Amino acid sequence: MSTLGPTSVIFDLDGTLVDSEPNYYEAGRQVLAQYGVPDYTWADHERYVGISTLETVGIWKREYGLAASVEEVFEAKNRRYLELARVSTRAYPEMRKFVELLATEDVPMAVASGSSPEAIEAILAGTGLDAFLPTVVSADEVERGKPAPDVFLEAARRLGATPADCVVLEDAAPGAAAAHAAGMRCIAIPYVTAQADAPEFATASLLLRGGQEEFTARDAYDWLARSAP
């Protein structure tokens, strides 16, 4: 057992471990333009931070009246996203340090993401984080995506951890809600800092209102040590 006792750490991927949102936005912008929606903005994209690609595309179909099926648009967006993700995804430096620090302490870790298994694999391999994070759960593998707790509960199951011993790192309100619903503590690092007052973030055990600029590996580790069960 690690020096943090029975604590296990579960990471969201997009916007938490890596800055993938620019790639998601660009993939979405290009695909929507292809289907006749030419004016998709970053502000539009921010509405979908934290929910799965499949759910996002379902909303697009309704809101934009897309003639193509959800499946067709979903596959087109995933293809374009993977092309971008393989060549230009950046891991947040302090998050990388945090993962490496936890690894030296033998803390069990997992990734639980709304992204597809293929996208998760591509990003973790491209950033080298796959060496530290072999346990991965995609929302595609469970019944419900965030804000339902399913991905986090499945990650805990695969780690052999009880939910009460798990700490989730999340950047989005639906993820913070999912962690709370799973009975897990949460370190919330809002990707969109203007959303830090969202009620879902109020359930977090630790809220870093300044987002990634406020996060450091050492401070996060010290907080884990102080709050370990």
Side-chain angles (χ1 to χ4, degrees):
M1 185 177 292
S2 78
T3 56
L4 298 179
T7 298
S8 294
V9 178
I10 302 174
F11 293 90
D12 171 57
L13 180 64
D14 303 300
T16 299
L17 275 175
V18 300
D19 189 14
S20 51
E21 292 302 335
N23 289 336
Y24 272 109
Y25 165 65
E26 184 59 20
R29 187 192 67 77
Q30 292 182 19
V31 168
L32 282 172
Q34 174 186 331
Y35 288 104
V37 182
D39 53 356
Y40 187 69
T41 68
W42 177 259
D44 294 325
H45 170 76
E46 285 185 339
R47 297 164 52 204
Y48 304 104
V49 170
I51 67 173
S52 73
T53 299
L54 188 59
E55 289 174 277
T56 296
V57 171
I59 296 169
W60 285 354
K61 181 168 175 62
R62 294 192 300 273
E63 290 201 352
Y64 297 118
L66 302 179
S69 69
V70 168
E71 291 75 16
E72 179 183 332
V73 180
F74 173 74
E75 289 173 5
K77 185 174 188 290
N78 260 354
R79 279 195 305 272
R80 187 67 192 114
Y81 173 73
L82 285 171
E83 291 169 0
L84 294 167
R86 287 191 177 103
V87 297
S88 61
T89 302
R90 179 182 75 94
Y92 290 112
E94 285 295 321
M95 279 291 172
R96 185 186 295 277
K97 288 180 186 176
F98 189 46
V99 169
E100 293 172 350
L101 178 57
L102 294 176
T104 65
E105 299 285 347
D106 296 320
V107 176
M109 293 182 283
V111 171
S113 170
S115 291
S116 68
E118 296 79 11
I120 299 169
E121 180 183 358
I123 288 175
L124 292 179
T127 57
L129 289 170
D130 57 340
F132 304 99
L133 297 163
T135 302
V136 172
V137 183
S138 163
D140 293 359
E141 301 176 85
V142 296
E143 184 177 350
R144 301 169 299 170
K146 304 169 189 178
D150 300 27
V151 286
F152 292 139
L153 292 174
E154 177 61 16
R157 187 190 70 78
R158 294 185 189 182
L159 290 174
T162 61
D165 290 334
C166 294
V167 176
V168 169
L169 277 81
E170 257 290 351
D171 73 295
H180 183 65
M184 301 177 181
R185 289 171 290 152
C186 178
I187 299 176
I189 313 116
Y191 185 85
V192 183
T193 55
Q195 296 176 4
D197 289 325
E200 295 89 343
F201 285 133
T203 67
S205 304
L206 177 63
L207 172 59
L208 303 179
R209 290 179 168 274
Q212 289 289 342
E213 290 187 5
E214 194 176 331
F215 179 88
T216 70
R218 175 47 61 183
D219 286 350
Y221 182 86
D222 290 347
W223 181 85
L224 285 181
R226 292 194 304 271
S227 62

